[in-house]
Amino acid sequence: MKKILLLLTLAAGLNVAVNAQDKPVSFGVKAGLALPSITASGMGISITTSSKTSFYVGAVADVNISPIFSFQPGLTYVGKGGKFDIGEMAEAMGADPSDFEGVDKITFNYSYLELPLNLLANFNAGTGKVFVGAGPYAAYALSANMKAGNTSVDAEFGSAEGQLKRMEFGVNFLGGYKLSNGLNLHAGYGIGLTSTENSSDGKTKNKVFSVGLGFMF
């Protein structure tokens, strides 16, 4: 009996090892809803915009490190930005809302190409796996504009005061559930650590909550 148990244990261990090596690297796609916002701070004032509705779409690679851990880099196109309510912004700044006559909100629209580098922990659950993870990201701004009423103005990128920075760095957190057929449901939260604008008076940082679907081939 002891020999049989030993053989069964050995066979199970070999099966895990083989399965882990069958597909050391897999690739997938993802897409979903993004709800970005902006936090602006400076001169003793901090304002967080309302979320705007955007989207993301991208591709990922999943590299097995162990039966539990995997490394997941990716490349994602994501819309960021936020909406400032003029009344709330004027109140926070001590300004008169009537100074913005005819405009009730200002919307900032940013488009980024983002490179996340996430470490995931995967746990068996039912017929699939629960995964949680986190990691840094680097993002490159493709375009940016501000819309107030019927007026839209493209932002300028550069190193001068008041211009936007092309590069952004931050950290993100994610979690979800992956079915055995490769389909997964996931949610994430990204926090910008660097200011998106060159300003000596304050900082503006991106935040993005996202939820969507993915498929690993």
Side-chain angles (χ1 to χ4, degrees):
M1 177 63 73
K2 289 183 179 180
K3 290 183 179 180
I4 293 176
L5 290 175
L6 181 60
L7 287 173
L8 288 175
T9 302
L10 179 60
L14 288 174
N15 184 56
V16 169
V18 169
N19 285 337
Q21 294 174 3
D22 277 346
K23 218 169 185 180
V25 181
S26 57
F27 299 92
V29 292
K30 62 179 182 178
L33 175 70
L35 298 172
S37 61
I38 300 172
T39 297
S41 60
M43 298 181 292
I45 300 172
S46 180
I47 304 173
T48 299
T49 72
S50 300
S51 299
K52 56 167 285 192
T53 302
S54 187
F55 73 96
Y56 67 95
V57 60
V60 298
D62 194 79
V63 183
N64 284 332
I65 299 175
S66 73
I68 294 179
F69 294 103
S70 64
F71 172 61
Q72 193 176 92
L75 190 62
T76 307
Y77 173 88
V78 57
K80 300 186 181 183
K83 294 187 295 185
F84 273 115
D85 180 270
I86 294 299
E88 293 179 359
M89 183 175 69
E91 181 179 348
M93 298 175 61
D96 186 348
S98 63
D99 293 339
F100 304 90
E101 187 175 354
V103 178
D104 59 350
K105 64 183 176 182
I106 299 175
T107 304
F108 293 88
N109 304 299
Y110 302 154
S111 296
Y112 280 89
L113 195 60
E114 189 169 288
L115 175 67
L117 301 171
N118 295 316
L119 180 65
L120 303 185
N122 306 272
F123 306 98
N124 292 325
T127 59
K129 289 187 176 183
V130 172
F131 60 89
V132 293
Y137 72 79
Y140 180 82
L142 301 173
S143 65
N145 68 70
M146 178 187 74
K147 187 175 182 181
N150 296 320
T151 302
S152 180
V153 179
D154 290 334
E156 293 185 359
F157 291 94
S159 57
E161 182 77 8
Q163 292 182 325
L164 295 183
K165 299 177 181 178
R166 285 286 186 183
M167 293 302 302
E168 178 203 8
F169 299 93
V171 62
N172 58 64
F173 305 89
L174 71 158
Y177 185 77
K178 182 172 69 174
L179 299 172
S180 57
N181 63 4
L183 183 68
N184 68 77
L185 173 66
H186 56 264
Y189 187 61
I191 304 173
L193 299 179
T194 58
S195 180
T196 61
E197 182 181 354
N198 294 292
S199 175
S200 57
D201 296 327
K203 297 180 179 180
T204 55
K205 297 181 180 180
N206 287 314
K207 295 181 180 179
V208 183
F209 172 76
S210 60
V211 60
L213 296 173
F215 187 81
M216 301 302 296
F217 298 98

